[in-house]
Amino acid sequence: MALPKIDSPTYELTLPLSKKTIRFRPFLVKEQKNLMMAMESDDSETIERNVRQVLTNCTITDNIDIDKLPVIDVEFYFLHLRARSVGEVVENNYVCTNQVNGEQCGNKMKSSFNILDVQVEMNPENKDVIQLTDKISIKLHYPEFSIVEKLKKKKTAVDVAFEIIVDSIEYIFDGEQYYYANETPREETMAFIESLNQEQFAKLEAFFETLPKLNKKLDIKCSKCGFDHSIDMEGLESFFG
């Protein structure tokens, strides 16, 4: 006789950037085990691979490609999946770095917070349409999660920067015609970026420097020296330190 099957609850979440609504189930014990091992490895490749697989497994909504979602949407989704699967409260450990009599305090501090309180911080300076000249402009979109896999093959920071920029171009407009990136040979798009002067390139860099980000501020008082710490948590890995 076959063992009984336990039905999982389902949840719904609207992603902050793409505005897609996703239905999902909590991850299972075997999936949690893989995630815990990935987090403990402290290896970004292993973490990224396991996060992608678990999100794919748990997504019930059809036609959702995790790789096509903005990176921040994926991180936000994962936080909510973790909250619904394991629990909303996370406890992290920190070391007091306050200097006391010329030496670091070193006291170990614990702090807990609710994952569902983590928000996506939008920067008003982030503009997706960038005017390069009087006539030529470029439209960018948020980097997709697929870029994480591609960046593993790049050897230098320069290669990484150009790869991200080219992958994030939606179109180039010359005042009369739109040149869509998905209809233009990649080599031509790369050559266009390489032809920019420093001022124009800096405008593109500003878009990526002001991207939305996961953010939560923790206020912790050291029980040993009494110093008040203010910790800004940014990025997925910082929430599970």
Side-chain angles (χ1 to χ4, degrees), residues 12-238:
E12 193 170 274
L13 175 69
T14 299
L15 302 178
L17 301 187
S18 65
K19 304 304 180 184
K20 292 180 180 293
T21 298
I22 290 182
R23 290 180 64 248
F24 64 95
R25 64 159 175 84
F27 51 69
L28 307 177
V29 171
K30 63 180 180 180
E31 293 163 336
Q32 181 185 0
K33 178 183 176 182
N34 289 337
L35 281 172
M36 290 175 64
M37 292 173 64
M39 293 296 180
E40 289 175 0
S41 74
D42 202 29
D43 177 68
S44 58
E45 272 191 39
T46 304
I47 293 173
E48 171 268 323
R49 184 173 60 252
N50 279 273
V51 166
R52 174 190 283 106
Q53 188 60 59
V54 169
L55 289 176
T56 300
N57 292 352
C58 296
T59 301
I60 298 172
T61 305
D62 293 332
N63 301 320
I64 294 293
D65 186 344
I66 299 300
D67 277 333
K68 293 296 183 182
L69 295 175
V71 173
I72 292 299
D73 272 359
V74 172
E75 294 184 349
F76 186 79
Y77 179 15
F78 180 75
L79 286 182
H80 280 255
L81 174 60
R82 193 274 181 197
R84 301 304 187 187
S85 303
V86 181
E88 299 175 9
V89 177
V90 171
E91 187 175 89
N92 281 352
N93 297 311
Y94 301 93
V95 174
C96 178
T97 56
N98 183 42
Q99 294 292 313
V100 180
N101 298 323
E103 296 183 358
Q104 182 174 289
C105 171
N107 182 43
K108 294 183 178 179
M109 308 177 296
K110 290 185 177 182
S111 179
S112 59
F113 64 95
N114 191 315
I115 297 178
L116 299 183
D117 290 337
V118 177
Q119 299 296 321
V120 174
E121 183 180 281
M122 307 295 290
N123 191 323
E125 298 298 318
N126 186 258
K127 308 296 183 184
D128 59 356
V129 176
I130 299 165
Q131 201 69 36
L132 298 176
T133 69
D134 291 341
K135 292 184 177 181
I136 300 175
S137 60
I138 188 168
K139 172 77 160 56
L140 300 172
H141 58 70
Y142 297 128
E144 297 176 346
F145 193 59
S146 59
I147 192 68
V148 178
E149 181 71 26
K150 294 179 182 178
L151 296 185
K152 296 176 189 175
K153 303 173 184 177
K154 301 302 170 184
K155 297 181 179 180
T156 69
V158 173
D159 288 337
V160 168
F162 275 84
E163 192 75 17
I164 292 174
I165 290 172
V166 171
D167 269 17
S168 300
I169 294 175
E170 186 171 329
Y171 63 73
I172 297 166
F173 180 56
D174 66 2
E176 296 181 359
Q177 184 174 343
Y178 289 91
Y179 302 88
Y180 290 91
N182 60 1
E183 299 173 355
T184 304
R186 189 176 183 82
E187 312 81 65
E188 290 186 22
T189 305
M190 181 66 76
F192 175 84
I193 297 300
E194 292 175 343
S195 72
L196 301 178
N197 62 38
Q198 291 298 318
E199 182 181 354
Q200 293 164 342
F201 190 74
K203 291 180 179 180
L204 298 185
E205 290 182 308
F207 170 81
F208 298 97
E209 291 168 355
T210 58
L211 286 172
K213 58 187 177 182
L214 293 178
N215 183 275
K216 182 171 177 58
K217 184 176 180 180
L218 289 182
D219 294 316
I220 310 174
K221 188 180 187 69
C222 179
S223 60
K224 182 178 179 181
C225 70
F227 185 78
D228 291 315
H229 291 264
S230 182
I231 301 173
D232 283 316
M233 304 174 69
E234 297 180 5
L236 186 62
E237 293 175 42
S238 68

